[in-house]
Amino acid sequence: VVHVHADDLTWKEIFESLEIDEYLELSQIHYSDGTDWSVEVLDRRPEPYESVIFTFGENGNKDLLVNNSVDIQVIEDAEYDVENCGS
């Protein structure tokens, strides 16, 4: 789950900020809410409550990945935890 406060942060910049951008050099497939994306997704911003899957290198079983992706309830729970941390 990604919780972003910066309005103009792209997926690529998120990977760079986590210092895992070396994975971007591997072959990639992206799914957003179960739909295939093109590589250009890395230059776009995350959408609120969007379920996104990135695969790098050898790609796994799409149906298994998509069927086990995070749903909006998990996202909302994580959002609640972040907003209430320290309280």
Side-chain angles (χ1 to χ4, degrees):
V1 173
V2 175
H3 185 86
V4 180
H5 289 272
D7 290 335
D8 59 350
L9 197 64
T10 65
W11 282 108
K12 183 178 180 180
E13 292 167 327
I14 291 170
F15 281 103
E16 291 169 347
S17 73
L18 297 171
E19 298 181 1
I20 56 173
D21 52 311
E22 68 271 9
Y23 292 108
L24 301 178
E25 297 173 14
L26 301 172
S27 61
Q28 307 161 26
I29 295 180
H30 317 100
Y31 305 107
S32 173
D33 296 323
T35 303
D36 291 0
W37 268 351
S38 65
V39 174
E40 291 80 26
V41 69
L42 295 171
D43 294 324
R44 78 185 247 329
R45 298 182 318 236
E47 296 293 327
Y49 305 105
E50 176 178 47
S51 183
V52 178
I53 300 169
F54 291 90
T55 65
F56 300 99
E58 289 296 317
N59 297 307
N61 180 314
K62 175 188 173 182
D63 292 333
L64 180 64
L65 292 169
V66 171
N67 290 338
N68 289 294
S69 64
V70 211
D71 63 20
I72 193 164
Q73 187 61 53
V74 172
I75 297 169
E76 289 175 341
D77 290 346
E79 184 177 52
Y80 177 82
D81 291 343
V82 168
E83 290 176 354
N84 291 301
C85 66
S87 56

